[in-house]
């Protein structure tokens, strides 16, 4: 097996105590057996995260949740391998079809509210339930033991979104097929902090749009006043194709009377518009983005501003601002606020392969002239980039994580439109083990950082959930050591029986730490620690652990840390 040199993303600031305790290849959120998937993540309010996932460790799928601290440690007050949100999951009716696809939002008190699609009433049609997990790791005893039903209406409910109501509760939206297959609508429901559905709202959810024609791919953002603004793809025009609509739902459970019933038309230009994304403008309105087929044979990304009044912003072009002038197919936009009334929008572009791009649309509807007109490319590799997540960095930029040909990668774009010089210009690899990592979820932390969770196959038999903190490492005013100057030379021999010589270079005299880790992130052997002279270095490893025992044949990682940077090299031992 050839060594693959890779810059590791796990620690962007090794001097930070918050980063130092995270394992090199991610913290195992659970390793309970079976296959855990579809993680979602919310802040704990203290730079840690609450992670939720879909878990089949019992007879059917269940929803579990875990708390990882800012230090990288799992919260010792929470159960090992997570807390079930359904009381005793072994006691539920064996005909229960299971619980799937959780979404999560902070409760504002270091806990979280989780909603999910639920098959307890039917093996074919999803309902919507929610539960509250306290900061202590205990399911809120004021809520029903197996969750509050937000709707148990016949028909399928799916594509959940969730936002905080600002008072310890949450608004959950979904696509609802209660009227019949082929004609789904947009619905929403409000669950109070007490675990009771808001009695001002209809008992099985508010119909946000009930017109004939298919509504799909909805998204939602908070209005900052206890309500929410929703956007969706809408086929009310029938054969003329899908358009983009938005609606404002008040905290009282009524559609905002200042907005048109069944939604404000955001874009109705010729061609299909869809895959909407929405984010707050910070002034009780929203910026909506979508993939637009107005140019025959391709799709591009557009955005529009809906004011709090329900009117479209007259400063913006009718039917939206073109976010990119690139001549390639673009899809799946994701938007976050820039903090000044505009938005940063990420999307996937189909060039010779799938690439990630990002663009800044200012509050006036113009593209930021500091940014490339075709959008900023987040990487220039020939790998496939998919399944992105984006969060604001709190300083006018954004952190983006994505699945990168079976690894998890991240990049930081600054408010200037430049990539953070503390990151490699290709991307920061969050986890690059030889196993598959994917389906990332992302939440922002202070200082321009983030925590990412993902589904991981390193245990080979099944999938688990892992997480890693990504920290900002340096500024433009004080750039870090050029990464290329801290590097491993090709390992020799590799694979090896017995002795492997690790060669590396240091740009200047520095305290360096060199160790061997297994694929679980456990340290196997400490090889060097202390101040070393600048220049070329070589350290042998005899294939033994810290106790002098020969290691098992397999894949290992050499990790070198110096001057706040870290590099790894993959190596293999033979029997």
């Amino acid at each position: 097996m050839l060594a693959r040199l890779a810059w590791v993303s796990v620690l962007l600031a090794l001097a930070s105590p918050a980063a130092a305790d995270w394992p090199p290849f991610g913290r195992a959120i659970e390793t309970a057996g079976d296959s855990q998937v579809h993680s979602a993540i919310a802040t704990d309010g203290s730079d840690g995260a609450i992670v939720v996932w879909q878990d089949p460790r019992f007879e059917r799928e269940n929803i579990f949740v875990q708390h990882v601290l800012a230090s990288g440690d799992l919260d010792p007050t929470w159960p090992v391998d997570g807390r079930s949100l359904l009381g005793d999951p072994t006691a539920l009716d064996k005909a229960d079809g299971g619980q799937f696809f959780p979404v999560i939002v902070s409760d504002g008190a270091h806990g979280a509210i989780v909603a999910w699609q639920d098959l307890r009433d039917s093996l074919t049609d999803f309902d919507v339930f929610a539960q509250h997990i306290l900061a202590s790791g205990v399911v809120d005893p004021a809520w029903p033991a197996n969750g509050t039903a937000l709707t148990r209406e016949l028909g399928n409910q799916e594509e959940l979104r969730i936002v905080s109501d600002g008072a310890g509760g949450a608004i959950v939206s979904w696509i609802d097929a209660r009227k019949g297959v082929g004609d789904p609508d947009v619905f929403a429901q409000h669950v109070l902090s007490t675990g009771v559905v808001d009695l001002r709202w209809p008992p099985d959810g508010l119909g946000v749009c009930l017109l004939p024609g298919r509504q799909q791919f909805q998204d939602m953002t908070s209005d900052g006043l206890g309500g929410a603004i929703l956007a969706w793809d809408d086929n009310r025009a029938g054969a003329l194709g899908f358009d983009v609509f938005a609606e404002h739902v008040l905290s009282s459970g009524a559609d905002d009377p200042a907005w048109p019933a069944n939604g404000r038309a955001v874009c109705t230009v010729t061609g299909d518009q869809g895959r909407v994304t929405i984010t707050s403008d910070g002034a009780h309105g929203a910026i909506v983005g979508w993939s637009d087929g107005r140019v025959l044979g391709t799709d591009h990304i557009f955005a529009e501003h809906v004011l709090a009044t329900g009117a479209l912003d007259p400063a913006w072009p009718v039917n939206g601002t073109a976010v990119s002038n690139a001549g390639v197919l673009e899809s799946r936009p994701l938007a976050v606020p820039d903090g000044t009334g505009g938005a940063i929008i990420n999307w996937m572009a189909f060039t010779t392969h799938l690439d990630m791009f990002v663009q800044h649309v200012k509050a006036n509807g113009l593209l930021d002239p500091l940014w490339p007109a075709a959008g900023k490319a987040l990487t220039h590799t020939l790998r496939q980039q998919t399944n992105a997540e984006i969060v604001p960095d709190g300083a006018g930029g954004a952190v983006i994580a994505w699945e990168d040909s079976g690894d998890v990668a991240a990049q930081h774009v600054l408010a200037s439109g430049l990539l953070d010089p503390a990151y490699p210009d290709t991307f920061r690899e969050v986890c690059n083990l030889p196993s598959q990592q994917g389906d990332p979820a992302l939440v922002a932390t202070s200082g321009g950082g983030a925590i990412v969770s993902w589904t991981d196959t390193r245990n080979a038999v099944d999938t688990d959930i892992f997480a890693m903190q990504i920290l900002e490492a340096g500024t433009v005013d004080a750039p870090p050591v050029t990464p290329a100057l801290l590097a491993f030379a090709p390992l020799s021999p590799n694979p090896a029986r017995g002795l492997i010589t690790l060669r590396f270079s240091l740009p200047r005299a520095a305290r360096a730490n060199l160790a061997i880790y297994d694929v679980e992130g456990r340290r196997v052997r400490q090889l060097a620690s202390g101040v070393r002279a600048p220049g070329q270095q070589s350290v042998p490893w005899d294939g033994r652990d810290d106790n002098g025992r020969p290691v098992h044949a397999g894949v290992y990682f050499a990790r070198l840390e110096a001057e706040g940077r870290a590099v790894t090299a993959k190596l293999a031992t033979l029997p």
Side-chain angles (χ1 to χ4, degrees):
M1 182 183 298
L2 297 176
R4 181 178 66 177
L5 296 178
W7 295 101
V8 175
S9 62
V10 295
L11 301 177
L12 304 186
L14 293 174
S16 167
D21 293 334
W22 288 77
F25 306 108
R27 169 66 65 195
I29 300 299
E30 60 69 41
T31 54
D34 296 298
S35 290
Q36 287 76 28
V37 294
H38 299 311
S39 70
I41 191 167
T43 180
D44 67 356
S46 300
D47 279 347
I50 299 176
V51 183
V52 65
W53 65 90
Q54 181 178 313
D55 195 307
R57 71 181 74 173
F58 298 108
E59 293 188 27
R60 69 207 157 272
E61 301 291 324
N62 192 221
I63 303 299
F64 274 73
V65 64
Q66 181 60 282
H67 182 203
V68 59
L69 303 172
S71 66
D73 296 317
L74 297 182
D75 190 330
T77 66
W78 289 49
V80 175
D81 288 324
R83 169 78 68 189
S84 168
L85 290 184
L86 279 86
D88 179 5
T90 64
L92 291 179
D93 186 344
K94 296 300 185 289
D96 173 17
Q99 291 73 44
F100 302 82
F101 306 114
V103 292
I104 187 171
V105 69
S106 170
D107 66 358
H110 309 293
I113 295 175
V114 178
W116 63 86
Q117 297 173 218
D118 198 296
L119 290 179
R120 71 184 68 184
D121 292 341
S122 167
L123 296 180
T124 58
D125 291 340
F126 286 113
D127 295 321
V128 182
F129 280 73
Q131 185 59 278
H132 183 206
I133 186 78
L134 299 173
S136 62
V138 174
V139 172
D140 191 336
W143 289 51
N146 291 316
T148 293
L150 303 189
T151 180
R152 300 178 92 152
E153 184 72 23
L154 293 177
N156 203 37
Q157 287 84 40
E158 57 186 355
E159 293 184 28
L160 273 57
R161 301 291 186 270
I162 188 169
V163 296
S164 171
D165 67 359
I171 296 174
V172 180
S173 63
W174 62 88
I175 296 296
D176 194 304
R178 68 183 65 180
K179 291 198 311 186
V181 176
D183 189 22
D185 298 309
V186 181
F187 274 73
Q189 184 59 281
H190 182 204
V191 59
L192 301 171
S193 62
T194 58
V196 175
V197 168
D198 190 334
L199 295 178
R200 300 174 297 171
W201 291 53
D204 277 303
L206 171 70
V208 179
C209 180
L210 298 174
L211 291 182
R214 184 181 186 91
Q215 286 81 46
Q216 64 183 15
F217 297 123
Q218 60 94 22
D219 198 10
M220 178 171 59
T221 189
S222 171
D223 67 357
L225 298 169
I229 302 174
L230 297 89
W232 63 90
D233 308 358
D234 195 301
N235 192 223
R236 67 183 70 181
L240 295 178
F242 281 92
D243 297 315
V244 177
F245 279 75
E247 182 61 280
H248 182 206
V249 177
L250 303 174
S251 61
S252 63
D255 290 336
D256 188 335
W259 291 51
N262 293 301
R264 164 66 65 192
V266 176
C267 180
T268 56
V269 74
T270 301
D272 280 328
Q273 288 79 43
R275 291 283 184 177
V276 300
T277 180
I278 188 169
T279 191
S280 172
D281 66 358
H284 315 305
I287 294 175
V288 181
W290 64 90
S291 181
D292 194 298
R294 68 184 70 183
V295 177
L296 187 64
T298 189
D299 284 323
H300 297 296
I301 307 302
F302 278 73
E304 182 61 274
H305 184 201
V306 187
L307 301 173
T309 62
L312 298 181
D313 189 335
W316 289 52
V318 176
N319 288 312
T321 291
V323 174
S324 162
N325 68 358
V328 297
L329 184 67
E330 300 168 330
S331 185
R332 302 196 177 187
L334 296 169
V336 294
D338 68 356
T340 58
I344 299 172
I345 301 177
N346 159 247
W347 69 90
M348 183 172 65
F350 297 83
T351 56
T352 57
H353 51 286
L354 298 177
D355 287 316
M356 287 294 159
F357 284 80
V358 67
Q359 181 62 279
H360 182 203
V361 183
K362 302 179 73 173
N364 59 9
L366 299 178
L367 300 185
D368 191 329
L370 297 177
W371 293 51
K376 182 67 176 180
L378 296 180
T379 176
H380 52 74
T381 71
L382 297 179
R383 293 154 62 92
Q384 301 289 340
Q385 290 92 42
T386 57
N387 297 330
E389 293 286 331
I390 182 172
V391 293
D393 68 359
V399 177
I400 303 96
W402 65 88
E403 185 175 337
D404 196 278
S405 292
D407 296 328
V408 175
Q411 187 58 274
H412 182 201
V413 60
L414 303 174
S416 63
L418 300 175
L419 298 182
D420 188 338
Y423 281 58
D425 62 356
T426 50
F427 50 76
R428 175 76 58 185
E429 288 195 87
V430 177
C431 185
N432 65 343
L433 293 176
S435 53
Q436 293 288 308
Q437 291 82 39
D439 197 15
L442 194 65
V443 66
T445 59
S446 63
I451 295 176
V452 59
S453 64
W454 67 87
T455 300
D456 197 296
T457 65
R458 70 183 69 182
N459 291 329
V461 177
D462 47 46
T463 58
D464 295 305
I465 305 300
F466 278 72
M468 176 56 72
Q469 186 181 46
I470 310 168
L471 294 179
E472 189 177 30
T475 66
V476 174
D477 294 330
V481 176
T482 304
L485 296 179
L486 179 69
F488 280 107
L491 305 186
S492 179
N494 189 33
R497 290 184 180 89
L499 190 68
I500 298 177
T501 300
L502 301 166
R503 296 183 176 86
F504 57 91
S505 61
L506 293 177
R508 60 185 62 84
R511 180 173 294 277
N513 186 79
L514 178 63
I516 305 295
Y517 293 85
D518 65 16
V519 295
E520 297 295 327
R522 296 182 294 250
R523 195 186 75 185
V524 173
R525 178 75 176 272
Q526 181 72 52
L527 293 176
S529 180
V531 176
R532 301 182 73 88
Q536 299 297 317
Q537 315 278 328
S538 63
V539 177
W541 180 42
D542 59 5
R544 296 179 181 271
D545 64 18
D546 282 328
N547 295 316
R549 296 184 297 251
V551 300
H552 296 294
V555 175
Y556 294 87
F557 291 84
R559 176 179 176 79
L560 173 65
E561 303 169 5
E563 295 192 315
R565 307 296 299 180
V567 292
T568 61
K570 185 167 63 178
L571 51 90
T573 61
L574 299 174

